[in-house]
Amino acid sequence: MLPKLRLLPRRGLSEFDAALLQSLHSELQSVLFDSSFRVEARKVNVSPTETSSTRREIEVEIPADEVSRETESLIQKYQKLARLPGFRRGHVPASIIRQRFAEDLKSDIVEALVPRYFRKEADKQGLIPVSQPRVTDLQLQENQPLRFKASFEVMPEVKVEGYKELRAEKPEVVVTDEEVEQSLNNLREQHATFTSVEDRTLAEGDYAQVSLDGQPKDGEGKPVHMDEILVEIGGKNTMPEFTEHLRGASAGDQRTFDVPYPQDSSDQRLAGKTFAYTVKVQSIKQKSLPQLNDQFATELGEFKNLEEVRQRIREGMEAERKHAAEHEAKDKLVAELVNRSGFEVPEALVERQIDVRLERGLRALAAQGMKAEDIKKMDLNRLRVGQREQALQEVKASLLLDRIAEEEKIEVSDEEINREIEALAKQSKQLPEAIRARLTRDGALDRIRNRIRNEKTLDFLYRQSA
C-alpha cells in the first residue's frame, strides 16, 4: 500500500474558511480526478442566485490556469516531502507524484482554491455570509476550470419605520410608609439575637437548635443531614410535623417522626417524598429583636438617626421600582418594534442565539448545584425547540436596534469599552490587561460593543417615547 502523504494543515484559517472546508469534505468524495493537468486560462465567472430573502447561492468558476499554478506549487511541496522506494527524498519525478498522490493533490487543490475564490467573489458581490456555506456540484476535471456552487445565508434587509412614534407607559413610582416600616422590620429580623433558655420545654415561639437525619421512606433519593439548625416552633415557614413533635421537648431529647412534602416543594430533593426524621434537640433559644431607635440606626452603618435609615430605605425601594418599571417598558417597546417588522431572519442567527440561551441556562443550573452527569442526561433537542421562539424574537430585536443605531448614529466609545473591561476585571479579580487580552483572543470585544450599542439604542427609544 502506498504511503498517504498529507501537507500540514493550514494555520490561521478563519471561522468561515474552516466551515467551508468542512462542507467540502463530502463533495470531495464524489469528484473524479484525472492524473493529467494540462489546463488553459479562463476568467472567473460568478452568478449569484437569490433562493430566499436571506439565502444566496453562488456558482463559481476558477480559471484553469489558476488550478495549474496551484497544482505545480503543490507538486513541488510533495516532491520535498515524499518518500518512495527507489527515489531519493526530494528527487521524486512530478509524473510519479501526480500518479501516486492524485487524491491528495485533488483534496489540497480544492482546499486551497475554493475558500479563497469564494470569499473573493462573495466580497465582490457585496454578500456577507452569516452561516456556514454548503458546497455542492464540485467539478474538477482535466483541461477544465474548477467549478462549484455554494449556498449560504446573508443578513436580511431590515427597514425600521415609525419607531419615533412608539410610546411607552411610565407609571408613577410610589412607596408607602407601611412598606418602609415593613422593610425596617425585616432589618430588625436580620439583626436578631438568640439566647439560650434553661429549665423548661419548647413552647410556641421558641427556637429549637437541633441536628437531624432524614431518610426517604420509599428508598429513592439521598438522605438529609443537618447540624445546628434553628427550628421555630409554630413558625409560618416551619413544617407542621416539626412543630407538633418538638413542642414540649427538652434539651437533649430525641424525636422520630415522618414528614410528607408537597410536590411543589422548593427543594427538589424533598418534593413529593416522605422522609423519616430523627431529630435531637441540642438547646432551646429565644429570639430578641433590637429596638427601633437611633442607636439601632448607628449600628446599621453611617446613619445619624432612624429617620436617615427610613429615607435610605425609601430611596432604595423607589430606585428599584423605577428600574423594574423602566425594564418592563423597554421590553414592551421592543416587542412592539418586533411586531411591526416582517423581515425573514437567517436560520443560522436563530440557531446561534439558541446556543447562547442554552449555554446561559446550563451555567445557571450548574451554579445552583446541578451535577454535570445530570446536565448531560437532559434532552437538549427538546430544550432547543423550547428556546426557538424566544431566540427568534431576540435576533429580530437585535437587528432592529442595530438598524436604528445606524439611523441615529449611535456609537460606542473606547471609554465605554474600557469601563466594561474594568468592571469585568473587578468582578473576576483579574487585571484589566488580562481581561482585554482574553476578550480579544475570543473575539468577544465586538460582542460587548454591540451589546452596549443596543442598550444605548434602547435607552434612546425609551427617552424619546415620553
Side-chain angles (χ1 to χ4, degrees):
M1 180 178 295
L2 292 176
K4 190 76 170 176
L5 177 65
R6 298 292 295 147
L7 297 182
L8 292 176
R10 298 176 178 82
R11 298 186 180 274
L13 283 177
S14 67
E15 180 181 353
F16 167 82
D17 288 340
L20 182 54
L21 292 181
Q22 181 180 9
S23 174
L24 285 170
H25 289 165
S26 60
E27 281 297 309
L28 282 169
Q29 305 305 316
S30 62
V31 175
L32 295 177
F33 191 89
D34 195 280
S35 61
S36 177
F37 283 94
R38 294 184 179 87
V39 292
E40 298 178 357
R42 188 178 297 179
K43 72 173 184 177
V44 175
N45 180 25
V46 181
S47 56
T49 302
E50 182 175 328
T51 59
S52 77
S53 62
T54 61
R55 182 164 289 279
R56 300 290 185 274
E57 183 177 84
I58 286 183
E59 298 181 12
V60 182
E61 182 179 289
I62 303 175
D65 62 336
E66 290 293 331
V67 178
S68 178
R69 277 194 293 269
E70 186 65 32
T71 301
E72 294 303 322
S73 175
L74 286 169
I75 287 175
Q76 291 176 15
K77 292 180 181 179
Y78 272 60
Q79 285 178 308
K80 293 178 182 179
L81 296 173
R83 293 182 178 181
L84 294 178
F87 298 97
R88 287 184 298 158
R89 185 174 181 177
H91 290 77
V92 181
S95 59
I96 300 297
I97 294 292
R98 292 178 185 275
Q99 179 184 355
R100 298 293 183 91
F101 301 109
E103 291 300 313
D104 291 290
L105 282 168
K106 172 188 65 179
S107 177
D108 285 328
I109 289 168
V110 169
E111 290 184 1
L113 294 178
V114 169
R116 186 196 314 167
Y117 273 85
F118 178 83
R119 174 62 74 186
K120 177 181 177 181
E121 297 305 327
D123 289 345
K124 183 186 295 184
Q125 294 294 324
L127 300 174
I128 303 176
V130 296
S131 68
Q132 293 185 354
R134 180 173 179 269
V135 175
T136 58
D137 296 347
L138 188 63
Q139 301 175 29
L140 183 57
Q141 299 175 1
E142 182 182 7
N143 298 327
Q144 296 293 325
L146 193 163
R147 299 181 177 92
F148 65 93
K149 294 180 181 179
S151 59
F152 54 94
E153 289 184 298
V154 297
M155 282 292 187
E157 182 181 359
V158 180
K159 295 181 179 180
V160 286
E161 298 175 351
Y163 63 88
K164 291 186 177 181
E165 285 71 47
L166 291 174
R167 293 294 175 261
E169 295 180 4
K170 298 183 180 180
E172 182 181 358
V173 174
V174 177
V175 176
T176 65
D177 293 341
E178 291 76 11
E179 289 171 327
V180 172
E181 292 305 313
Q182 180 60 52
S183 181
L184 193 57
N185 284 325
N186 292 340
L187 280 175
R188 290 181 71 204
E189 291 286 345
Q190 294 171 18
H191 289 78
T193 58
F194 295 86
T195 55
S196 296
V197 177
E198 306 291 343
D199 301 326
R200 71 172 179 82
T201 61
L202 280 165
E204 201 80 6
D206 286 339
Y207 285 79
Q209 181 173 308
V210 305
S211 62
L212 60 83
D213 288 281
Q215 298 286 339
K217 295 278 285 186
D218 59 7
E220 297 182 2
K222 296 182 179 180
V224 175
H225 175 78
M226 291 178 149
D227 285 317
E228 296 186 352
I229 65 168
L230 291 175
V231 178
E232 182 183 5
I233 304 303
K236 63 179 181 179
N237 296 321
T238 303
M239 294 292 289
E241 291 79 6
F242 278 86
T243 293
E244 177 185 349
H245 291 89
L246 295 180
R247 186 189 290 115
S250 301
D253 286 354
Q254 182 170 292
R255 300 290 171 88
T256 301
F257 52 90
D258 294 343
V259 177
Y261 289 91
Q263 290 287 351
D264 60 354
S265 175
S266 58
D267 191 332
Q268 292 301 310
R269 297 175 303 169
L270 309 175
K273 296 182 179 296
T274 297
F275 273 71
Y277 283 104
T278 299
V279 181
K280 183 175 182 179
V281 179
Q282 298 167 330
S283 62
I284 301 173
K285 294 182 178 294
Q286 280 187 325
K287 181 172 71 173
S288 299
L289 294 174
Q291 293 185 5
L292 284 178
N293 53 30
D294 293 343
Q295 181 180 348
F296 176 58
T298 59
E299 293 173 356
L300 291 176
E302 297 179 357
F303 299 101
K304 295 180 180 179
N305 51 53
L306 202 59
E307 282 308 309
E308 284 192 5
V309 177
R310 287 191 174 96
Q311 182 61 28
R312 183 72 61 83
I313 290 174
R314 184 181 298 277
E315 291 172 354
M317 294 177 73
E318 288 176 346
E320 183 178 346
R321 292 183 183 182
K322 182 180 179 181
H323 176 77
E326 182 176 317
H327 183 77
E328 183 180 358
K330 288 180 178 179
D331 283 347
K332 290 181 178 179
L333 279 175
V334 171
E336 179 61 25
L337 198 63
V338 171
N339 288 337
R340 292 186 178 190
S341 66
F343 58 89
E344 183 180 355
V345 175
E347 184 64 22
L349 298 186
V350 178
E351 289 296 320
R352 210 170 297 164
Q353 186 63 19
I354 292 174
D355 290 339
V356 170
R357 292 180 61 82
L358 282 180
E359 181 181 1
R360 188 187 306 145
L362 294 178
R363 282 183 179 178
L365 290 176
Q368 293 171 9
M370 180 175 282
K371 295 182 178 179
E373 55 265 30
D374 293 329
I375 292 178
K376 291 178 180 178
K377 294 177 183 178
M378 300 176 71
D379 188 346
L380 291 183
N381 288 331
R382 183 178 60 82
L383 291 175
R384 294 188 72 85
V385 172
Q387 295 291 325
R388 179 175 178 76
E389 184 57 33
Q390 189 61 36
L392 174 62
Q393 300 304 309
E394 289 172 351
V395 171
K396 280 189 173 183
S398 180
L399 293 175
L400 287 164
L401 290 174
D402 188 63
R403 186 71 186 89
I404 293 173
E406 291 178 2
E407 290 282 336
E408 300 297 331
K409 296 180 174 54
I410 297 173
E411 299 295 342
V412 177
S413 66
D414 291 339
E415 289 75 13
E416 289 171 305
I417 296 294
N418 291 338
R419 285 198 295 270
E420 186 77 10
I421 290 175
E422 290 171 2
L424 290 172
K426 185 177 181 180
Q427 181 180 359
S428 60
K429 297 180 180 179
Q430 298 181 47
L431 292 175
E433 294 78 10
I435 295 293
R436 183 183 294 277
R438 176 173 60 81
L439 294 175
T440 302
R441 184 176 62 251
D442 297 342
L445 277 181
D446 284 341
R447 292 196 295 271
I448 291 176
R449 188 179 296 275
N450 289 337
R451 174 178 58 78
I452 296 175
R453 191 186 190 206
N454 281 354
E455 289 173 354
K456 292 178 68 174
T457 306
L458 193 49
D459 286 339
F460 162 78
L461 285 177
Y462 181 72
R463 290 193 306 271
Q464 65 90 39
S465 69

